[in-house]
Amino acid sequence: MKKIVLIATIFFIAGISLQAQQLGINIGNKAPELIGKSPNGETVKLSDTKGKVVLLDFWAGWCGPCRRENPNVVKAYNKYKDKKFQNGDGFAVFNVSLDRTADQWKGAIKQDKLDWPYHISDLKGWQSKLGAVYGIRSIPSNFLLDENGIIIGKNLRGPALDAALEKYVK
């Protein structure tokens, strides 16, 4: 009887573990991998940020609300990039652009001082396969990920982003 209880417990715990690792775009899901080209043509992957708390941020250079939110993202990045978190070591921003031209994309990165290494785009605008993976229908949109790529927040802007990050600082 003890063996049956032990086996049942192991399966129950394994089931919870697998459930927590379910791939998806909801809080508690493992964030789907994204792989794309950076502004200088290098391949960049979302998984390159493993071990950090990450803001996965969908935006575009032509998007007024995105550009108005960028100063908040820059402020959060500068404040938290070197912090120790309960669930990660440092903070990174991973930008996914829905721009259609490289000039507009690169120009907005420079103008808005988005000085982090993680920028990708397929330059397909609303037909972006990168955005489709996350069901992006409006921008700005974002997902906050823990050190293992588990989604711990969504659509955090301005003070809400700062409050969410502060909650996880050690």
Side-chain angles (χ1 to χ4, degrees):
M1 185 65 174
K2 286 182 182 179
K3 283 184 181 181
I4 292 172
V5 171
L6 178 62
I7 291 170
T9 302
I10 290 170
F11 279 118
F12 177 74
I13 292 169
I16 289 172
S17 177
L18 288 173
Q19 188 177 27
Q21 296 296 309
Q22 180 181 2
L23 198 62
I25 59 170
N26 295 313
I27 292 175
N29 290 152
K30 174 103 172 127
E33 176 72 287
L34 290 175
I35 302 171
K37 294 294 182 184
S38 72
N40 61 7
E42 294 177 6
T43 299
V44 178
K45 301 183 290 186
L46 180 59
S47 58
D48 293 341
T49 63
K50 187 172 171 68
K52 296 182 180 293
V53 172
V54 178
L55 182 70
L56 173 57
D57 189 33
F58 292 85
W59 75 295
W62 50 261
C63 168
C66 301
R67 303 294 297 276
R68 287 189 293 277
E69 182 60 22
N70 278 345
N72 294 322
V73 176
V74 169
K75 183 179 173 187
Y77 175 73
N78 289 329
K79 181 177 179 181
Y80 294 101
K81 66 183 177 181
D82 297 319
K83 298 272 187 185
K84 301 279 186 203
F85 289 85
Q86 297 167 19
N87 54 355
D89 189 15
F91 173 63
V93 177
F94 192 98
N95 279 130
V96 181
S97 169
L98 299 186
D99 279 299
R100 294 187 68 77
T101 69
D103 288 341
Q104 188 169 44
W105 176 35
K106 292 176 186 179
I109 290 170
K110 184 176 180 178
Q111 187 177 11
D112 293 358
K113 298 178 174 68
L114 308 181
D115 297 329
W116 42 82
Y118 306 109
H119 295 274
I120 63 172
S121 183
D122 56 14
L123 298 176
K124 294 185 178 177
W126 287 113
Q127 281 65 52
S128 170
K129 291 181 177 162
L130 300 167
V133 170
Y134 280 81
I136 301 302
R137 302 234 188 282
S138 65
I139 52 176
S141 288
N142 65 47
F143 298 82
L144 188 62
L145 314 177
D146 74 5
E147 84 281 8
N148 294 311
I150 303 299
I151 299 169
I152 57 175
K154 290 172 76 169
N155 293 319
L156 302 166
R157 295 193 215 355
L161 174 59
D162 191 64
L165 289 168
E166 198 61 44
K167 185 169 79 172
Y168 294 106
V169 171
K170 272 189 179 177

